[in-house]
Amino acid sequence: MEKLFDLDYMLKSLPRIVEYLPVTLWIALLSMLLGSIIGLATALIRIYKVPVLAQLSTLYVSYIRGTPLIVQLFLVYYGIPKFLYFFQSEYGFLQQLNIYVIPPEIFALLSFSLNLGGYLSETFRAAINSVDRGQFEAANSIGMSQTQIMLKIVLPQALTVALPNLGNTLISTVKDTSFIFMIGVVDMMGQAKIMGARALAFFEVYVAVSLIYWLVCIIIERGLVVLEKRIRIYERSE
């Protein structure tokens, strides 16, 4: 008689799925870092209305926010090798690069970074615009440059305002990494699919991987709460 749920297999699958947790975390964390850099740069370009770049940045943000992440992942995975091959064959560029051995993790990292850059640009733009304009005027009156004002006055306050949204984005990114198995990256979700196919126990391994994602997101959430409290305490003590 077939079991409704094989608890023993689920428990055995947990440590084998956890082995791939570092893959999930490094892609999520590194893409979050790169996405934050892209997002901040895009936000500043739009705030200061840099000619041409501001219009391109608006188009970039609109495209990222208006298309699914999975589509962007496939566009990067299939599109970049196609462009590289074209430039190699037509113009002789990057002949030393073997596009067929580029790890799929690189494409996953790039697509996630670009996706996060589009969303985080709006987070940073709103946070920077929330800083009291009087502080800009006061800093200008004492001779501070625009760069000094941004680095020493605006960004520290803006990052505090943006922290809750940054935390939510990080949690979402950890969960969204489950897509990367579709381009050949074996992470936790990929390992769960492999184990489920081998034993025909998909339900059990999906329950197992869901519990791991849940626990990881709880830990991240608790860590962010502690960080936010420490920042608030530091602000009040100033």
Side-chain angles (χ1 to χ4, degrees):
M1 182 177 177
E2 185 179 354
K3 292 182 179 179
L4 177 63
F5 186 82
D6 191 341
L7 179 62
D8 183 59
Y9 187 75
M10 189 208 78
L11 294 176
K12 287 181 179 178
S13 68
L14 281 170
R16 297 183 62 184
I17 295 174
V18 169
E19 289 177 7
Y20 291 84
L21 176 60
V23 178
T24 295
L25 290 180
W26 85 258
I27 289 180
L29 293 174
L30 189 53
S31 62
M32 187 73 184
L33 174 61
L34 295 175
S36 296
I37 295 172
I38 296 171
L40 180 59
T42 304
L44 292 175
I45 288 171
R46 297 181 70 188
I47 288 172
Y48 287 106
K49 296 180 173 60
V50 180
V52 181
L53 291 181
Q55 289 75 18
L56 291 176
S57 297
T58 300
L59 181 63
Y60 158 65
V61 172
S62 176
Y63 181 81
I64 291 296
R65 288 161 61 91
T67 56
L69 173 58
I70 188 66
V71 174
Q72 297 165 19
L73 184 63
F74 285 142
L75 286 174
V76 170
Y77 182 67
Y78 292 108
I80 288 181
K82 191 176 183 70
F83 276 97
L84 289 175
Y85 177 77
F86 174 79
F87 285 113
Q88 283 182 341
S89 59
E90 295 295 327
Y91 302 104
F93 294 162
L94 302 172
Q95 289 291 339
Q96 70 279 9
L97 176 64
N98 186 351
I99 60 177
Y100 300 105
V101 297
I102 299 176
E105 290 86 352
I106 299 299
F107 298 114
L109 180 63
L110 180 57
S111 60
F112 271 72
S113 299
L114 291 172
N115 177 272
L116 287 169
Y119 282 96
L120 292 178
S121 69
E122 293 298 280
T123 297
F124 287 127
R125 191 160 69 99
I128 291 172
N129 286 332
S130 70
V131 177
D132 185 6
R133 303 303 298 180
Q135 298 189 42
F136 288 85
E137 297 170 2
N140 273 320
S141 68
I142 61 174
M144 294 181 70
S145 67
Q146 289 296 317
T147 302
Q148 290 175 321
I149 294 172
M150 186 59 64
L151 292 178
K152 295 183 178 181
I153 296 177
V154 178
L155 284 184
Q157 297 180 69
L159 289 175
T160 301
V161 173
L163 185 60
N165 284 334
L166 292 175
N168 290 334
T169 302
L170 176 58
I171 291 173
S172 296
T173 303
V174 170
K175 294 183 291 184
D176 287 343
T177 56
S178 58
F179 288 133
I180 63 178
F181 182 64
M182 301 185 74
I183 62 169
V185 180
V186 181
D187 66 330
M188 290 198 302
M189 192 63 183
Q191 178 65 3
K193 289 181 178 180
I194 292 171
M195 294 186 65
R198 286 175 179 171
L200 295 179
F202 289 101
F203 183 53
E204 286 81 357
V205 296
Y206 287 154
V207 169
V209 76
S210 72
L211 293 176
I212 298 170
Y213 276 115
W214 186 26
L215 179 60
V216 170
C217 290
I218 288 174
I219 293 172
I220 294 174
E221 183 181 3
R222 298 303 183 206
L224 290 169
V225 168
V226 172
L227 178 60
E228 189 173 357
K229 286 182 178 178
R230 288 183 177 273
I231 291 176
R232 298 300 181 190
I233 292 173
Y234 174 75
E235 286 182 334
R236 288 195 295 267
S237 64
E238 289 186 323

